[in-house]
């Protein structure tokens, strides 16, 4: 009896979902193509990015790299610059490496099966399923956070969806009555439902096409589902950037540690475990090492700015400093570049934003005469 009821609910779920999708689907450029390269790029961008934000990045990325060959042949720096602002830069490095691999090993043709796609770097279960179903109509369920949330609410799954048992239950339900005849439509429909109606917070339940069979809606448990066992621990970090002006030059370095923003460029950085006042920053030994013992003029100090990452909160200040001569540390560990060339380098979003603001134009870029 339980199986019959579950089967009936799944049939109603699938039919109602696809019926809702056709008049409500989002008009997105990667849905107008079967090109696996375009679909792959869109899925990687959307892994950690909302559709509306990711749309512009997708269009610029495809314009810069219209084929997998053009991506493979591009320098990593150009790829990172195009990715700048999206965050999670490992995604950009992975697609660059994978493009090179596909060009070298598969003559520039992405595998046309879920199993084949899974073998590529940076492509996991969900992304492989999405590409396989959208580009090649392979009947495989694409299960992402939207899908876990929807099924947990519709079928009253209280097992944590970030643990093995909860994931297993959702996967079994998601594949039990998967629409074999319309795999791409079904996968896109459930993604749109999660993106437009069954939202993580304040879902639009009254507009939901499947509210009649939704356990959470009928039982008043929408806010309680899905359940997650693991709580993300947020770490506070304090960054103090020193923007050196040495005539028409400044000094930057490339982040190389296994940390945020790997491969991106930044100005000399002093990091603290706790908040420092500007005068405290200027009394540190790191300040002396960076600025040296010659004449140093601090022309601007920004207010503290908060930058939110998924697991970290960054509190930053920017110091614009004119020096008479570069310190030994700058000469040894940093690269001298023209201030006017800074826009050519891929930098973290918080630096990009500061360089685009008025204080940077007035105190950092000012007087740079060619």
């Amino acid at each position: 009896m339980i199986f019959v009821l579950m089967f009936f609910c799944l049939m109603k779920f699938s039919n109602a979902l696809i019926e809702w999708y056709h008049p409500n689907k989002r008009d997105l450029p990667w849905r107008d193509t079967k090109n696996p390269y375009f679909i792959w790029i869109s899925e990687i961008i959307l892994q950690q990015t909302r559709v509306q934000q990711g749309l512009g990045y997708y269009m610029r990325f495809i314009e810069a790299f219209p084929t997998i060959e053009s991506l493979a042949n591009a320098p990593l720096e150009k790829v990172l610059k195009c990715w700048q602002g999206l965050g999670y830069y490992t995604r950009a490095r992975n697609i660059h490496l994978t493009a090179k691999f596909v060009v070298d090993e598969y003559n520039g043709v992405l595998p046309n099966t879920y199993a084949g796609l899974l073998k590529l770097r940076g492509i996991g279960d969900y992304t492989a399923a999405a590409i396989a179903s959208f580009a090649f109509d392979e009947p495989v369920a694409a299960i992402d956070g939207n899908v876990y949330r929807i099924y947990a609410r519709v079928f009253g799954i209280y097992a944590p969806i970030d643990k093995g048992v909860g994931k297993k239950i959702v996967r079994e339900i998601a594949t039990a009555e998967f629409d074999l005849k319309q795999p791409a439509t079904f996968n896109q429909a459930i993604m749109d439902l999660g993106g437009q109606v069954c939202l993580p917070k304040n879902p639009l339940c009254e507009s939901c096409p499947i509210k009649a069979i939704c356990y959470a809606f009928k039982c008043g448990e929408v806010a309680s589902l899905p359940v997650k066992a693991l709580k993300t621990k947020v770490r506070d970090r304090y960054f103090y950037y020193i923007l050196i002006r040495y005539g028409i030059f400044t000094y930057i370095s490339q982040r190389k540690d296994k940390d945020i923003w790997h491969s991106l460029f930044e100005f000399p950085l002093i990091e603290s475990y706790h908040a420092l006042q500007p005068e405290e920053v200027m009394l540190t030994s790191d300040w002396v090492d960076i600025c040296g013992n010659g004449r140093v003029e601090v022309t601007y100090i920004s207010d503290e700015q908060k930058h939110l990452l998924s697991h970290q909160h960054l509190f930053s200040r920017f110091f614009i400093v004119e020096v008479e001569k570069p310190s030994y540390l700058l000469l040894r560990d940093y690269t001298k570049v023209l201030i006017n060339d800074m826009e050519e380098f891929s930098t973290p979003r918080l630096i990009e934003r500061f360089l685009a603001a008025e204080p940077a134009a007035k105190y950092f870029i000012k007087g740079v005469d060619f």
Side-chain angles (χ1 to χ4, degrees):
M1 176 62 71
I2 293 176
F3 175 79
V4 172
L5 288 173
M6 178 69 77
F7 180 80
F8 176 71
C9 286
L10 283 167
M11 286 294 292
K12 288 187 67 176
F13 176 89
S14 177
N15 292 338
L17 178 65
I18 291 177
E19 184 178 338
W20 167 85
Y21 173 69
H22 287 298
N24 292 283
K25 64 181 179 180
R26 291 176 285 192
D27 183 18
L28 302 170
W30 49 85
R31 288 184 175 171
D32 296 330
T33 179
K34 286 288 187 179
N35 186 324
Y37 170 66
F38 292 164
I39 294 168
W40 170 46
I41 296 301
S42 73
E43 288 300 329
I44 299 298
I45 287 176
L46 296 178
Q47 281 177 2
Q48 302 288 345
T49 308
R50 296 188 302 273
V51 169
Q52 285 308 112
Q53 180 190 5
L55 180 57
Y57 280 97
Y58 168 82
M59 299 302 290
R60 288 190 292 273
F61 198 93
I62 293 302
E63 182 179 0
F65 312 109
T67 65
I68 196 168
E69 289 82 6
S70 63
L71 176 58
N73 294 328
L76 176 60
E77 178 55 37
K78 183 177 179 181
V79 177
L80 291 174
K81 184 65 180 177
C82 197
W83 198 268
Q84 185 169 300
L86 274 171
Y88 298 91
Y89 289 89
T90 298
R91 294 181 294 169
R93 291 191 293 273
N94 280 342
I95 62 173
H96 189 238
L97 288 170
T98 297
K100 287 179 175 293
F101 178 80
V102 171
V103 168
D104 292 342
E105 301 298 326
Y106 298 126
N107 295 318
V109 179
L110 282 162
N112 62 1
T113 65
Y114 168 77
L117 289 161
L118 266 181
K119 297 176 182 178
L120 301 179
R121 182 170 183 152
I123 296 183
D125 288 340
Y126 164 76
T127 305
I131 299 169
S133 62
F134 299 160
F136 308 114
D137 291 313
E138 184 174 352
V140 55
I143 304 175
D144 68 349
N146 285 318
V147 176
Y148 281 114
R149 180 172 65 256
I150 290 168
Y151 280 120
R153 286 173 174 168
V154 172
F155 297 101
I157 300 168
Y158 282 90
I161 61 167
D162 53 354
K163 303 286 282 186
V165 174
K167 288 182 177 181
K168 183 173 184 291
I169 293 172
V170 170
R171 287 187 174 278
E172 288 176 350
I173 294 175
T175 56
E177 193 57 36
F178 185 75
D179 197 314
L180 300 177
K181 296 181 180 179
Q182 305 178 79
T185 300
F186 184 88
N187 281 334
Q188 289 167 343
I190 199 166
M191 289 175 199
D192 272 12
L193 187 72
Q196 298 184 77
V197 179
C198 194
L199 307 171
K201 295 180 181 179
N202 303 316
L204 308 178
C205 293
E206 292 298 335
S207 304
C208 183
I210 53 175
K211 65 183 180 182
I213 61 169
C214 179
Y215 167 88
F217 177 72
K218 291 190 292 185
C219 298
E221 291 287 285
V222 174
S224 303
L225 294 169
V227 174
K228 292 186 178 181
L230 304 177
K231 291 186 177 180
T232 301
K233 185 177 180 181
V234 178
R235 173 188 175 194
D236 289 344
R237 301 175 72 176
Y238 301 87
F239 284 9
Y240 304 97
Y241 280 111
I242 318 302
L243 282 62
I244 299 291
R245 282 193 75 236
Y246 175 54
I248 61 175
F249 297 100
T250 191
Y251 288 84
I252 60 175
S253 64
Q254 192 170 26
R255 292 180 69 91
K256 294 183 174 17
D257 296 334
K258 292 182 178 179
D259 195 359
I260 57 173
W261 306 329
H262 183 277
S263 299
L264 300 191
F265 289 87
E266 65 180 357
F267 297 103
L269 170 66
I270 297 173
E271 182 174 357
S272 172
Y273 292 107
H274 56 87
L276 297 175
Q277 292 301 313
E279 56 270 20
E280 294 177 298
V281 175
M282 291 185 281
L283 288 174
T284 63
S285 59
D286 288 336
W287 176 276
V288 175
D289 289 340
I290 292 167
C291 297
N293 296 314
R295 182 183 61 81
V296 175
E297 181 183 355
V298 179
T299 57
Y300 177 80
I301 301 173
S302 75
D303 293 332
E304 185 176 78
Q305 302 173 23
K306 188 175 183 180
H307 187 76
L308 304 180
L309 303 177
S310 58
H311 303 139
Q312 300 182 29
H313 291 170
L314 307 183
F315 300 87
S316 63
R317 284 186 189 271
F318 292 87
F319 295 73
I320 298 176
V321 177
E322 293 190 11
V323 299
E324 182 181 28
K325 60 181 180 180
S327 66
Y328 172 74
L329 181 71
L330 292 177
L331 295 173
R332 186 191 67 188
D333 295 344
Y334 292 83
T335 301
K336 184 171 75 170
V337 299
L338 291 168
I339 291 175
N340 275 6
D341 285 349
M342 275 304 303
E343 64 181 17
E344 302 298 323
F345 295 90
S346 51
T347 59
R349 180 64 172 154
L350 69 89
I351 292 179
E352 180 191 14
R353 274 202 288 250
F354 179 75
L355 290 177
E358 183 179 350
K362 183 177 180 181
Y363 296 101
F364 184 57
I365 302 171
K366 73 171 181 67
V368 179
D369 228 346
F370 292 88

